[in-house]
Amino acid sequence: ECLIRFLHISAAANVVKPNTPFAPLKESTDAGSFLGWTGFTVSTGRGAAFRQGVEAMFQEEHPKQNTVQNLFRRAGLVPEDWDRAWDGAVPFRFTSPAPMERKKS
């Protein structure tokens, strides 16, 4: 819920550019996107702002890299190269979302 809201706010502020125009979802179980997002690219010069906004979604002041990446993996929005994607050189693209891992009690 936080990620989808953050992506919409980021798009409105031109921090990211969606890969495709938004269209209303026909079904609540759209398997071809993350709630209508097929991917996005971080706008040139806005990588630091985007990363700060993502990290602000976590309780830790500086969340671990893997924790941040898992947020996108679970949504299925994965770039081919993480470092280049934060700078807008390659897009985050929708793939199949990663399954949620259950912690052992």
Side-chain angles (χ1 to χ4, degrees):
E1 189 175 303
C2 289
L3 179 58
I4 192 70
R5 182 172 38 135
F6 176 72
L7 289 174
H8 282 288
I9 291 168
S10 296
N14 293 317
V15 174
V16 300
K17 297 173 190 164
N19 289 357
T20 56
F22 292 110
L25 296 177
K26 295 182 175 129
E27 297 180 20
S28 61
T29 57
D30 181 11
S33 69
F34 172 63
L35 300 173
W37 284 79
T38 58
F40 64 92
T41 303
V42 177
S43 299
T44 304
R46 303 301 302 266
F50 180 70
R51 183 92 185 231
Q52 284 177 329
V54 169
E55 290 183 359
M57 288 189 267
F58 296 91
Q59 290 180 346
E60 304 89 28
E61 187 175 339
H62 299 288
K64 294 179 183 176
Q65 179 177 335
N66 191 52
T67 302
V68 173
Q69 290 176 356
N70 278 338
L71 173 70
F72 289 94
R73 286 186 190 112
R74 289 183 182 135
L77 293 167
V78 181
E80 65 184 48
D81 181 306
W82 287 98
D83 292 330
R84 293 178 60 220
W86 292 117
D87 293 332
V90 297
F92 287 74
R93 294 187 193 273
F94 182 78
T95 60
S96 296
M100 297 285 286
E101 295 178 13
R102 298 196 183 264
K103 292 184 178 183
K104 296 180 181 179
S105 350

